[in-house]
Amino acid sequence: MAEGKVSKSDSFNRLIDITESQNSAEDDGSESSGARYPQDLRSVLVTSVLNLEQLDIDLYRGTHHWVPRTQRLFGGQIIGQALVAAAKSVSDDLYAHSLHCYFVRAGDPKVPVLYQVDRTRDGRSFTVRSVKAIQHGQPILICQASFQLLQPSPLQHQFPMPVVPQPEDLPTVEEIIQRYLSKPDLTESAKQGLNKLLATEVPIEVKPVSPAQFYRHVSGEPRRLFWARARGHIGEGNMKLHCCVAAYVSDFALLGTVLLPYPKYKARFTASLDHAMWFHSTFRSDEWMLYECDSPWAGSSRGLAQGRLWRRDGVLAASCSQEGVLRVKPVPENSKL
């Protein structure tokens, strides 16, 4: 690649530092428009989770912030970090429009992940990058991301956004857990599990539209909706960064949608097999977006889930699809959860 083209991506290579500087300017004691957080509450997704260390040209290292109870790395983190690595190698006038990933091995939370970028193609309108996430000398994820030079078109349409309560009228996941903890008939093991959930610092804020359905306390169609946003302040920043954060968010609770029609079963083993995502419009990942998830099919110990991220003004921001392995076992009849 020519030197001039490489240099055009320098501003994204410094994006985390730039974003932090912007946040410091916004949080200098005065209230800026749209700022929700003081200086010490910048999003950990920017300062840590998606902040990769460059080891060499097109080679990066990422560490971990949140490890799920499965003790395997959160797939959304690996997708988000892979997209960060890919975005560092393209010019500033190119924006991610799609990514396609395969999870090939479980991630080890005890060691960092290396991200090796291959500059597959540089075209006039579209640029493709391949990223391999590596641990212990073997790939754990293979990702291809495509970037596009923005081009206007008279062809524009989308599905309508679902009509749901606004996030200000709904409780957070933490508030819902506190309500369950106040129930007198809750078993001790259930209390311990809920308290562990409260103690876990997840870098995403979530407000379920229907908590009973979200937590599978009632059977229903394989569909759920919840508001989500990154914890902390990111700011206007750069759409490349917001796409990386949205890629992280997109894996949260998506595959679990497959289990919603089956309250008599719980997951014995789950693992994501692949994940695809398409970005449609500009958005801010630190502002509330409605995540609409549904599952059109399940069988052969696999399930397919689809998701749509909506801006509050009704604009479809992104879409995604994921297939995963789901092996289940019956829920004990005396379970209080």
Side-chain angles (χ1 to χ4, degrees):
M1 184 176 290
E3 290 184 7
K5 194 161 188 178
V6 173
S7 65
K8 286 173 70 178
S9 65
D10 285 348
S11 64
F12 185 73
N13 293 341
R14 301 191 301 271
L15 183 56
I16 304 301
D17 293 335
I18 292 172
T19 304
E20 289 191 356
S21 298
Q22 290 174 341
N23 287 342
S24 297
E26 291 174 354
D27 300 321
D28 60 358
S30 60
E31 293 189 8
S32 60
S33 60
R36 298 186 292 108
Y37 295 92
Q39 181 177 349
D40 60 344
L41 288 180
R42 299 184 195 125
S43 175
V44 70
L45 287 169
V46 172
T47 60
S48 177
V49 178
L50 298 178
N51 189 6
L52 301 183
E53 175 189 1
Q54 183 167 5
L55 303 179
D56 204 335
I57 297 175
D58 294 336
L59 183 63
Y60 303 90
R61 178 166 55 196
T63 53
H64 326 304
H65 174 74
W66 174 57
V67 178
R69 287 179 295 171
T70 60
Q71 292 304 301
R72 301 192 302 268
L73 289 183
F74 176 50
Q77 173 191 295
I78 309 303
I79 297 170
Q81 289 183 340
L83 187 57
V84 168
K88 285 177 177 290
S89 69
V90 302
S91 58
D92 290 338
D93 56 353
L94 294 170
Y95 297 88
H97 75 87
S98 72
L99 61 86
H100 297 261
C101 303
Y102 278 98
F103 296 95
V104 292
R105 290 179 179 85
D108 182 353
K110 297 187 293 294
V111 298
V113 181
L114 297 180
Y115 294 91
Q116 187 176 51
V117 180
D118 177 62
R119 304 191 180 208
T120 308
R121 180 180 186 271
D122 292 292
R124 284 184 291 183
S125 299
F126 292 89
T127 292
V128 178
R129 295 291 183 259
S130 300
V131 182
K132 188 180 293 184
I134 301 169
Q135 282 187 324
H136 304 296
Q138 295 182 314
I140 63 172
L141 175 133
I142 298 170
C143 174
Q144 286 193 316
S146 182
F147 300 81
Q148 181 189 17
L149 182 69
L150 294 184
Q151 298 170 311
S153 170
L155 306 180
Q156 294 188 29
H157 71 266
Q158 65 169 57
F159 284 170
M161 178 179 175
V163 178
V164 298
Q166 293 300 299
E168 290 79 12
D169 301 324
L170 296 170
T172 64
V173 164
E174 291 77 12
E175 291 169 340
I176 294 169
I177 292 175
Q178 291 287 5
R179 292 179 187 175
Y180 283 121
L181 284 171
S182 65
K183 291 185 176 182
D185 60 342
L186 201 63
T187 64
E188 189 59 35
S189 61
K191 289 181 181 178
Q192 292 178 1
L194 290 172
N195 280 316
K196 285 182 180 179
L197 287 177
L198 279 179
T200 304
E201 295 183 4
V202 182
I204 306 170
E205 290 184 89
V206 172
K207 290 191 173 187
V209 170
S210 173
Q213 185 185 39
F214 187 84
Y215 289 105
R216 302 180 60 223
H217 291 168
V218 295
S219 61
E221 61 179 347
R223 182 173 183 261
R224 62 180 164 194
L225 301 101
F226 57 93
W227 293 96
R229 68 181 178 186
R231 292 188 188 275
H233 182 63
I234 297 176
E236 293 294 336
N238 185 302
M239 264 310 298
K240 288 181 181 177
L241 178 58
H242 285 293
C243 286
C244 295
V245 174
Y248 182 100
V249 173
S250 69
D251 192 40
F252 185 81
L254 179 58
L255 190 58
T257 309
V258 179
L259 293 170
L260 293 181
Y262 311 100
K264 294 184 179 180
Y265 293 91
K266 65 179 181 179
R268 176 172 59 86
F269 174 84
T270 63
S272 300
L273 294 172
D274 59 2
H275 190 99
M277 194 166 187
W278 299 266
F279 303 98
H280 310 306
S281 183
T282 58
F283 58 88
R284 277 185 58 174
S285 53
D286 59 348
E287 294 182 345
W288 288 114
M289 290 192 292
L290 181 68
Y291 199 12
E292 177 188 8
C293 304
D294 57 55
S295 173
W297 175 87
S300 301
S301 294
R302 305 194 321 275
L304 178 65
Q306 299 174 333
R308 285 167 291 279
L309 275 168
W310 299 89
R311 291 188 341 203
R312 291 189 66 165
D313 60 1
V315 172
L316 182 60
S319 303
C320 64
S321 294
Q322 183 178 99
E323 189 180 44
V325 176
L326 293 106
R327 300 190 178 103
V328 298
K329 60 183 179 181
V331 175
E333 293 185 2
N334 61 350
S335 175
K336 295 294 183 180
L337 282 178

